[in-house]
Amino acid sequence: MKVLIIGSGGREHAIAWKVAQNPKVEKIYCAPGNGGIGQTAECVPIGAMEFDKLAAFAKAEKIDLTIVGMDDPLVGGVVDVFEKEGLRVFGPRKNAAILEGSKAFSKDLMKKYNIPTAAYENFDDPEDAIAYLKEKAEFPIVLKADGLALGKGVLICNTLEEAEEGVKTIMLDKKFGSAGNTLVIEEFMTGREVSVLSFVDGKTIKTMTSAQDHKRAKDGDQGLNTGGMGTFSPSPFYTKEIDEFCQKNIYQPTVDAMAAEGREFKGIIFFGPMLAEKGPKVLEYNARFGDPEAQVVIPRMKNDMVEVCEACIDGTLDQIQLEFEDNAAVCVVLASEGYPVSYEKGFPIEGLENFEGKEGYYVFHAGTALKDGRIVTNGGRVLGVTAKGATLKEARKNAYAATEWIRFENKYMRHDIGKAIDEA
Ligand code: AMP
Ligand code: GLY
């Protein structure tokens, strides 16, 4: 069997590592991939948005299964292009990936189907948005660019002045491009944020073990929002009672709502429930694995990735018993100093060999490249160091020990990934 993975981050490396465990898989390609994924998969120099070239490659190489890791190609309709060519592909079609691609769509869906979420209004006109802020808003308030903005299109505004400035930034200055054509103004909520990823086959949903991300760049949740600086799994705050509530009121209802709208969802739904005082409410949906959530969830998954993906495509997920190890994992992202703003790259990375043959320790490559036979830094988030342990505390200790095995100039990480577990 030949498998193609679309994407280039630590998430795709974790997917490739897992796919490689299947004895039927003889070859894995990753487009475009990165320096380190090259050890597990053959990198193909085709961009994730070059749909026709990707489909032509899949046809020519007789790829049996393509797994789309990234959000942009999903929202852009790569799955539709592959299906039209008769290729087997795992991920939602364009009309379903809109669940992540448009926050205005997802908010309207939740309202229509009574799925708990923060109160909101959508706006196409900046003047209407400002009038609403002046007349009705309570502060702090949250402004969200409708479309994909690399996780950066969310502004939390403490005053009317800040919010007016925010409307200008998103809708007039178009800081996030066309993602800001529509604006969502949303009630500010407080609570812990959990990441719950799930496999969906259009009708059936099977959720994976929970995780928590750390989005801010600096210790103590200071600094700018990033793609994620580290994760742990499971979340001790995501209790059985909360899970039962979410299964009944959020997860299955979302899948059913998409089907009822004629937007059958097949692939991964990543729910971002906030554990608010009055119960869980959906902060956001994504249509793919989280990054770096995948780096803690996938190593704990007992099932075969290829089998589960195929069950989603074939609509037979009800026959799969999804199972996770009864342990814990922590991932600490090693980044380039200065991320997410500006940073130098091209520094050689040393110590990667320390992970070889070490059961329960993983180094997933995100921003790395192969240069003159050496792995060098090539992005803001460089590596995800994951370790497992019997408990979260042990996993955390192991992960931080493993971060010391790696050396590169400009190495930066948070030192408090998983610290919240001390409060659990
Ligand atoms: P999103 O892209 O929707 O996940 O938002 C990015 C981050 O902004 C979230 O992870 C939250 O930390 C924060 N956020 C989003 N919506 C809200 C809200 N309604 N209340 C408070 N914080 C929010
Ligand atoms: N780590 C958050 C995300 O993948 O969106």
Side-chain angles (χ1 to χ4, degrees):
M1 191 173 182
K2 289 181 172 180
V3 178
L4 168 67
I5 297 167
I6 299 178
S8 59
R11 163 184 51 209
E12 284 74 24
H13 194 184
I15 296 170
W17 168 81
K18 186 72 176 160
V19 166
Q21 319 284 307
N22 181 315
K24 280 189 281 186
V25 172
E26 54 184 275
K27 179 92 193 176
I28 306 174
Y29 295 94
C30 190
N34 66 43
I37 293 178
Q39 293 155 359
T40 318
E42 184 178 325
C43 293
V44 185
I46 305 176
M49 296 306 283
E50 296 182 286
F51 300 166
D52 291 334
K53 280 192 193 169
L54 289 168
F57 173 83
K59 274 197 127 164
E61 293 299 326
K62 299 196 168 54
I63 299 291
D64 300 289
L65 172 66
T66 297
I67 300 175
V68 189
M70 279 173 84
D71 46 4
D72 289 288
L74 288 169
V75 170
V78 69
V79 168
D80 306 58
V81 173
F82 270 61
E83 283 184 347
K84 218 165 104 206
E85 294 295 329
L87 292 158
R88 259 166 96 72
V89 55
F90 175 73
R93 292 181 189 145
K94 184 174 181 170
N95 77 349
I98 190 174
L99 193 61
E100 170 164 8
S102 167
K103 292 186 194 287
F105 169 86
S106 69
K107 295 296 291 188
D108 286 345
L109 185 87
M110 287 187 269
K111 188 191 260 180
K112 182 169 173 188
Y113 292 91
N114 283 319
I115 296 167
T117 188
Y120 76 101
E121 292 284 339
N122 295 336
F123 297 92
D124 294 322
D125 179 342
E127 283 181 25
D128 292 347
I130 288 180
Y132 173 87
L133 287 168
K134 284 185 174 154
E135 286 157 30
K136 303 224 176 94
E138 282 179 39
F139 297 89
I141 198 147
V142 186
L143 307 188
K144 297 186 173 185
D146 172 53
L148 293 181
L150 297 168
K152 294 181 185 125
V154 175
L155 305 178
I156 295 174
C157 304
N158 290 306
T159 62
L160 177 62
E161 291 69 46
E162 265 180 57
E164 284 180 303
E165 193 56 37
V167 172
K168 185 169 169 286
T169 305
I170 293 175
M171 299 189 88
L172 297 171
D173 302 345
K174 293 269 191 280
K175 182 163 175 203
F176 311 108
S178 60
N181 289 350
T182 297
L183 177 76
V184 179
I185 300 186
E186 190 177 272
E187 167 201 9
F188 177 79
M189 299 192 294
T190 50
R192 284 184 203 279
E193 291 176 56
V194 185
S195 300
V196 179
L197 317 185
S198 65
F199 289 99
V200 182
D201 75 353
K203 310 177 291 287
T204 301
I205 176 164
K206 297 267 162 113
T207 50
M208 300 178 223
T209 180
S210 62
Q212 269 183 242
D213 190 12
H214 300 66
K215 287 196 174 153
R216 303 290 206 95
K218 298 188 175 159
D219 283 16
D221 290 331
Q222 302 296 308
L224 294 172
N225 254 327
T226 71
M229 293 299 293
T231 38
F232 58 89
S233 170
S235 163
F237 308 102
Y238 187 79
T239 59
K240 197 161 163 280
E241 291 70 37
I242 291 173
D243 183 59
E244 276 167 13
F245 177 90
C246 293
Q247 298 286 354
K248 181 161 172 265
N249 298 289
I250 295 176
Y251 306 150
Q252 189 69 50
T254 299
V255 175
D256 295 344
M258 290 297 281
E261 294 291 312
R263 296 173 182 275
E264 182 186 64
F265 194 107
K266 288 187 176 197
I268 304 283
I269 301 184
F270 164 164
F271 297 86
M274 178 176 262
L275 309 183
E277 210 174 314
K278 288 188 193 138
K281 290 188 181 186
V282 179
L283 266 190
E284 63 162 346
Y285 290 117
N286 296 306
R288 48 163 177 91
F289 279 102
D291 187 344
E293 283 86 345
Q295 291 91 313
V296 285
V297 169
I298 291 176
R300 298 185 55 227
M301 180 169 148
K302 289 191 189 172
N303 302 70
D304 180 79
M305 180 66 80
V306 173
E307 255 174 44
V308 183
C309 291
E310 297 214 296
C312 291
I313 296 172
D314 296 335
T316 55
L317 189 61
D318 58 335
Q319 290 162 35
I320 299 264
Q321 181 79 24
L322 202 56
E323 286 185 296
F324 288 82
E325 293 170 1
D326 184 18
N327 56 10
V330 169
C331 172
V332 180
V333 170
L334 303 186
S336 301
E337 176 92 52
Y339 171 72
V341 183
S342 63
Y343 44 82
E344 283 182 72
K345 34 190 203 184
F347 297 116
I349 303 175
E350 284 166 40
L352 292 164
E353 68 286 353
N354 291 319
F355 287 81
E356 281 163 24
K358 292 245 178 49
E359 180 84 18
Y361 291 86
Y362 313 83
V363 59
F364 295 117
H365 291 242
T368 68
L370 197 58
K371 199 176 149 202
D372 304 328
R374 297 187 75 175
I375 301 275
V376 299
T377 65
N378 192 41
R381 293 193 292 178
V382 178
L383 300 168
V385 170
T386 297
K388 294 200 279 202
T391 62
L392 279 164
K393 278 190 185 165
E394 193 183 302
R396 183 169 173 231
K397 200 174 100 228
N398 294 345
Y400 273 105
T403 62
E404 298 302 321
W405 304 347
I406 300 280
R407 293 176 306 281
F408 59 86
E409 220 171 289
N410 264 13
K411 176 177 146 187
Y412 173 81
M413 64 180 157
R414 275 181 63 161
H415 292 88
D416 61 350
I417 302 302
K419 190 156 181 272
I421 58 190
D422 296 337
E423 298 158 29

